[in-house]
Amino acid sequence: MAHLSPSDLSNMERAVALYASDMPVGFMMRRGTEATVAAWIIQGVVRLGLAEVQHSAACAYGYRLLWLADLTTPEQDRAHRRRFSNARRWDRAERLASCFTAWAGYPMTREALDRGGRTEVEGACRCGGTGWLGESYDPDDPTMLVERNCPGHNPEGLRLPRWEVGA
């Protein structure tokens, strides 16, 4: 792996790398531990490979957005638990990555920031991959149907031409 710095990774990519590293679950970041955390991040990338770290981060972010909107499916829940089977470790990795990003002096590159907003969805989605969900304000009145963007497939709520949806 060519020279890689934590700055080359988005916050979620840093969390995935920390999850895969030798980071102790009880570790608390303190002043002077930044180099140790940076080494764990690089260790996690080496273990998983950069492509897998980026893929897992996009899946984790997509899942997080769906979970926050209370839209996850059982299939997505299972996929997330398979990928991050130790919930306590995943929580610690996310918190440590955020702390590291906020005050450790490792800003993200423009490419890492851009990748940080990328989502992927594992498993069947309620939107069927279209990026849009039909919701009814009144189940007895079908005219009260509204469209809502799917946070996993269309987090920005963009209207795409039909031929681009799911591409």
Side-chain angles (χ1 to χ4, degrees):
M1 191 163 298
H3 178 71
L4 182 74
S5 163
S7 295
D8 298 319
L9 303 171
S10 71
N11 190 64
M12 194 62 82
E13 291 165 352
R14 293 171 182 186
V16 169
L18 284 166
Y19 182 85
S21 75
D22 288 342
M23 170 201 71
V25 173
F27 179 80
M28 297 292 287
M29 188 166 184
R30 303 205 188 310
R31 190 175 311 280
T33 62
E34 297 88 352
T36 301
V37 176
W40 285 329
I41 291 170
I42 299 305
Q43 180 187 50
V45 173
V46 169
R47 280 189 180 161
L48 294 177
L50 184 58
E52 180 57 30
V53 167
Q54 291 173 344
H55 173 68
S56 290
C59 290
Y61 186 52
Y63 181 81
R64 170 60 49 86
L65 293 178
L66 288 164
W67 182 82
L68 287 171
D70 196 28
L71 292 171
T72 61
T73 64
E75 188 177 351
Q76 292 163 349
D77 294 335
R78 285 189 300 275
H80 185 74
R81 280 193 303 272
R82 268 192 311 275
R83 189 174 293 280
F84 304 107
S85 58
N86 185 331
R88 185 168 173 246
R89 182 172 188 76
W90 177 240
D91 180 64
R92 170 55 52 202
E94 281 191 295
R95 289 172 188 266
L96 185 54
S98 294
C99 187
F100 182 80
T101 297
W103 58 270
Y106 283 94
M108 287 177 244
T109 64
R110 177 83 253 156
E111 295 81 16
L113 283 168
D114 291 344
R115 257 190 339 274
R118 195 179 65 136
T119 62
E120 289 186 34
V121 176
E122 292 182 292
C125 189
R126 296 184 194 280
C127 78
T130 66
W132 294 95
L133 301 155
E135 289 190 345
S136 176
Y137 288 131
D138 182 356
D140 297 327
D141 183 0
T143 64
M144 295 299 290
L145 188 67
V146 296
E147 276 192 328
R148 172 180 170 190
N149 69 300
C150 170
H153 283 102
N154 188 6
E156 295 174 6
L158 300 176
R159 281 275 177 209
L160 300 174
R162 289 255 182 244
W163 62 87
E164 289 185 26
V165 172

